[in-house]
Amino acid sequence: QVQLVESGGGLVQPGGSLRLSCAASGIIFSINDMGWFRQAPGKERELVASISSGGSTNYVDSVKGRFTISRDNAKNTVNLQMNTLKPEDTAVYYCNLYKNTDWRNCWGQGTQVTVSS
């Protein structure tokens, strides 16, 4: 059983920060590319940030310079540090892993991030 459990979301004012964490089990974590997605109501889920098994990172343009993805292979976790948050960052955030040729089509409960004044 592959299990990804997100945590760290909450309510924050614009300009604030949050740190999300994803705990993985049921996989050999160190060999998998990992990513953070988000989905706002009525919108498609989008890939926000990814980190390869080797540690290389990519970000969607809207979060570059504000978000940082990292991983700790010893703890089987992937994190997302979110700074200078904007209202448009409001969404449910999910972590996922890249398997074979695509992101795994199985999603956990996610963690809600709400940015509002």
Side-chain angles (χ1 to χ4, degrees), residues 3 10 16 19 21 25 45 48-49 56-57 75-76 78-79 82 87 96:
Q3 186 166 313
R19 184 175 176 85
S21 183
S25 62
R45 186 181 287 111
V48 177
S56 62
T57 59
K75 297 181 179 179
N76 284 11
V78 58
N79 305 303
M82 305 185 296
N96 206 349

XYZ file of all heavy atoms in Angstrom, residues 3 10 16 19 21 25 45 48-49 56-57 75-76 78-79 82 87 96:
131
model
N 1.118 5.095 0.608
C 0.400 6.080 1.390
C 1.200 7.371 1.466
O 2.389 7.366 1.793
C 0.118 5.552 2.792
C -0.750 6.465 3.634
C -1.281 5.783 4.878
O -1.781 4.655 4.814
N -1.176 6.458 6.008
N -3.123 25.491 6.608
C -3.816 26.335 7.554
C -4.214 27.646 6.938
O -4.143 27.838 5.724
N 2.359 35.917 4.401
C 2.801 34.979 5.413
C 3.439 33.735 4.828
O 3.604 33.604 3.615
N 4.734 25.859 6.008
C 5.584 24.755 5.595
C 4.743 23.487 5.571
O 4.237 23.048 6.605
C 6.767 24.581 6.551
C 7.750 23.488 6.117
C 8.964 23.456 7.040
N 9.893 22.379 6.725
C 10.858 22.453 5.819
N 11.027 23.576 5.118
N 11.663 21.423 5.604
N 4.308 19.371 4.768
C 5.104 18.164 4.841
C 4.284 16.989 4.328
O 3.074 16.932 4.519
C 5.569 17.911 6.276
O 6.413 16.776 6.347
N 4.932 6.292 2.726
C 5.169 4.924 3.140
C 4.739 3.988 2.018
O 3.976 4.365 1.135
C 4.432 4.589 4.440
O 3.029 4.715 4.268
N -6.265 20.393 -11.155
C -5.102 20.208 -10.314
C -3.845 20.559 -11.109
O -3.710 20.184 -12.269
C -5.051 18.753 -9.839
C -3.964 18.444 -8.843
C -3.986 16.962 -8.468
N -5.106 16.620 -7.607
C -6.146 15.872 -7.977
N -6.221 15.386 -9.210
N -7.117 15.607 -7.116
N 2.810 22.129 -8.786
C 3.409 23.348 -8.263
C 4.923 23.250 -8.223
O 5.633 24.185 -8.613
C 2.862 23.655 -6.855
C 3.543 24.882 -6.261
C 1.354 23.853 -6.910
N 5.422 22.134 -7.730
C 6.855 21.952 -7.570
C 7.175 20.474 -7.604
O 6.373 19.638 -7.194
C 7.341 22.564 -6.251
N 17.166 17.523 -8.036
C 16.890 18.663 -8.898
C 15.432 19.085 -8.759
O 14.551 18.247 -8.579
C 17.225 18.347 -10.350
O 16.434 17.278 -10.836
N 15.177 20.383 -8.858
C 13.849 20.919 -8.589
C 13.308 21.709 -9.764
O 14.060 22.256 -10.571
C 13.862 21.818 -7.345
O 14.778 22.898 -7.556
C 14.288 21.031 -6.117
N 14.022 10.267 6.219
C 12.742 10.335 6.922
C 11.546 10.076 6.021
O 10.404 10.131 6.486
C 12.593 11.702 7.587
C 13.640 11.992 8.644
C 13.431 13.355 9.277
C 14.464 13.629 10.347
N 14.290 14.969 10.964
N 11.793 9.808 4.753
C 10.719 9.569 3.780
C 9.713 10.723 3.752
O 8.493 10.518 3.775
C 10.000 8.256 4.069
C 10.795 7.035 3.647
O 11.970 7.124 3.314
N 10.147 5.876 3.661
N 8.770 14.723 2.007
C 8.998 15.806 1.069
C 8.264 17.020 1.612
O 7.130 16.914 2.085
C 8.540 15.433 -0.364
C 7.064 15.060 -0.399
C 8.831 16.568 -1.331
N 8.927 18.163 1.564
C 8.404 19.372 2.171
C 8.232 20.468 1.137
O 8.857 20.467 0.079
C 9.344 19.849 3.276
C 9.605 18.783 4.311
O 8.677 18.253 4.923
N 10.870 18.448 4.517
N 6.557 27.549 1.837
C 5.818 28.539 1.070
C 5.941 29.891 1.765
O 5.467 30.063 2.893
C 4.350 28.143 0.936
C 4.144 26.749 0.349
S 2.400 26.367 0.060
C 1.794 26.390 1.747
N -3.270 35.338 -2.048
C -4.608 34.727 -2.065
C -4.771 33.676 -3.159
O -5.480 32.681 -2.943
C -5.531 35.924 -2.295
C -4.804 37.067 -1.675
C -3.349 36.809 -1.981
N 2.622 13.859 -4.383
C 2.494 12.710 -5.259
C 3.888 12.241 -5.656
O 4.878 12.925 -5.413
C 1.671 13.067 -6.495
C 0.968 11.863 -7.102
O 1.235 10.714 -6.734
N 0.073 12.123 -8.051
